[in-house]
């Protein structure tokens, strides 16, 4: 019987991953944890606990008491928030991961999932079709913490045989939970403002092209990687995952096809510099070869679904 712990379960990814894992493993076997409350479906459908990932004793006690066998360690501060509080972000992102890897080693957890990001790449990385193995000199504290995290994951696998698996997620787009302080958040906010205000002021420039992915594809890929036989996993740092690449001008044009009066304006802030340091598109051929990652949403299909679902959500909440 698997007993799964999710940290950061109230966030953009965790709130959806929790529900997907509960469908597979049973509601009572998936423990959602975070510092803040989760959306109602997560809180009501199974166990939810307040747990701080940098409280090592609480983490160890929780894991032992609940006989946890697998962890999805999502708690972190994202790129935009991390630039505002660099040392605090380093503490949360690194201490949380190191405590988790130690816990996995000491308690014999079967598997750990930890997300990395396209933020491990930097201004000196080839920007188009960025390869799995390439120059990685990140210029943000978030990117530095993710790159260091990848090295630690590989180290714990090689030295202690901890079965840790990871994906370098692109920017993730979803309608269920708000995005949490990232540079790619504009691609979520734009849908809400398009529906509510018919206009959006973008914090990136019109040609800031970035790799993105719809949440369902990210969740399915994560579960697929975790279900893959360990012998097929050749990357123990983190797998590149491609998704779809677009810039603010392109997503605005797609939204305009549904809402003709929609207008976008641009007022780039500090996140523009972060975006400029990241790749525009990703080569994920290694993930395809090793575990056959699949995605089904392009910009057109994703835009339609985001608009439909956010409209429904706004009607229910008003
Ligand atoms: P999010 O900000 O929406 O959620 C993170 C959650 O972690 C929040 O609910 C927050 O309350 C929680 N948290 C923060 N500090 C904590 C602590 N000390 N103890 C316990 N919980 C704490 O972020 P997300 O988008 O869901 O991202 C989840 C993970 O995926 C992160 O590691 C992030 O770096 C990674 N990632 C996300 C994206 C993306 O586009 N969303 C892309 C690449 C990687
Ligand atoms: N979407 C994330 C961010 O912008 C990338 O990891 O921070």
């Amino acid at each position: 019987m698997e007993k799964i712990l999710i940290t950061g379960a109230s966030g953009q990814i965790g709130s959806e991953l929790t529900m997907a894992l509960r469908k597979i493993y049973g509601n009572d076997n998936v423990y959602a944890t975070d510092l803040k409350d989760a959306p109602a479906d997560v809180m009501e459908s199974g166990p939810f606990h307040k747990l701080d990932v940098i409280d090592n004793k609480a983490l160890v006690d929780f894991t032992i008491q609940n006989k946890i066998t697998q962890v999805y360690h999502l708690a972190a501060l994202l790129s935009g928030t991390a630039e505002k509080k660099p040392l605090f972000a380093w503490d949360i992102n690194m201490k949380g991961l190191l405590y988790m890897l130690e816990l996995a080693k000491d308690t014999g957890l079967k598997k750990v999932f930890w997300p990395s990001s396209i933020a491990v790449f930097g201004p000196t990385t080839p920007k188009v079709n960025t390869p799995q193995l390439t120059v990685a000199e990140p210029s943000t504290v978030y990117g530095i913490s993710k790159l260091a995290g990848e090295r630690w994951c590989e180290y714990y696998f090689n030295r202690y045989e901890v079965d840790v698996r990871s994906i370098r997620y692109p920017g993730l787009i979803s309608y269920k939970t708000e995005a949490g302080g990232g540079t790619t958040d504009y691609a979520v906010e734009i849908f809400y403002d398009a529906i509510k205000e018919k206009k959006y002021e973008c914090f990136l420039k019109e040609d800031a092209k970035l790799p993105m992915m719809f949440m369902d594809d990210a969740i399915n890929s994560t579960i697929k990687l975790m279900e893959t036989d360990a012998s097929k996993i050749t990357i123990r740092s983190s797998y590149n995952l491609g998704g779809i690449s677009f810039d603010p001008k392109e997503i605005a044009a797609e939204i305009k096809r549904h809402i003709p009066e929609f207008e976008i304006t641009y007022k780039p802030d500090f996140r523009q510099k972060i975006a400029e340091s990241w790749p525009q598109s990703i080569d994920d051929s290694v993930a395809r070869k090793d575990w056959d990652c699949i995605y089904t949403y392009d910009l057109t299909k994703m835009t339609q679904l985001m608009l439909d679902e956010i409209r429904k959500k706004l009607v229910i909440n008003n």
Side-chain angles (χ1 to χ4, degrees), residues 113-133:
F113 176 81
W114 170 78
S116 184
S117 162
I118 52 165
V120 295
F121 300 118
T124 51
T125 302
K127 287 213 176 308
V128 177
N129 219 18
T130 302
Q132 174 70 45
L133 290 176

Side-chain angles (χ1 to χ4, degrees), residues 174-176 191-192 194-195 214 254-255 257-259 297 299-316:
S174 63
Y175 55 84
K176 190 175 157 189
F191 288 103
Y192 286 90
I195 292 170
F214 186 56
E254 193 60 38
I255 291 173
R257 290 180 54 228
H258 300 267
I259 306 174
Y297 284 86
L299 181 57
T300 306
K301 189 172 162 192
M302 183 188 78
T303 302
Q304 175 79 64
L305 191 83
M306 286 292 286
L307 291 172
D308 290 349
E309 293 299 330
I310 292 170
R311 279 192 183 111
K312 276 190 231 160
K313 190 172 150 179
L314 293 176
V315 169
I316 292 167

Side-chain angles (χ1 to χ4, degrees), residues 7-14 33-36 51-54 73-78 92 114-118 142 146 168-172 178-181 184 215:
T7 71
S10 305
Q12 192 198 8
I13 302 174
T33 67
D34 202 297
L35 289 180
K36 63 177 190 195
L51 185 65
D52 183 346
V53 295
I54 58 169
H73 176 53
L74 306 180
L77 298 195
L78 273 71
I92 303 283
W114 170 78
S116 184
S117 162
I118 52 165
Y142 177 69
K146 290 295 183 187
R168 290 172 179 153
Y169 288 133
L172 299 182
E178 276 176 33
T184 55
M215 187 61 81

Side-chain angles (χ1 to χ4, degrees), residues 221 224 228 285-295:
S221 298
K224 188 149 198 209
T228 297
S285 50
V286 181
R288 286 177 193 274
K289 182 168 149 285
D290 285 2
W291 48 277
D292 197 21
C293 67
I294 299 167
Y295 5 97

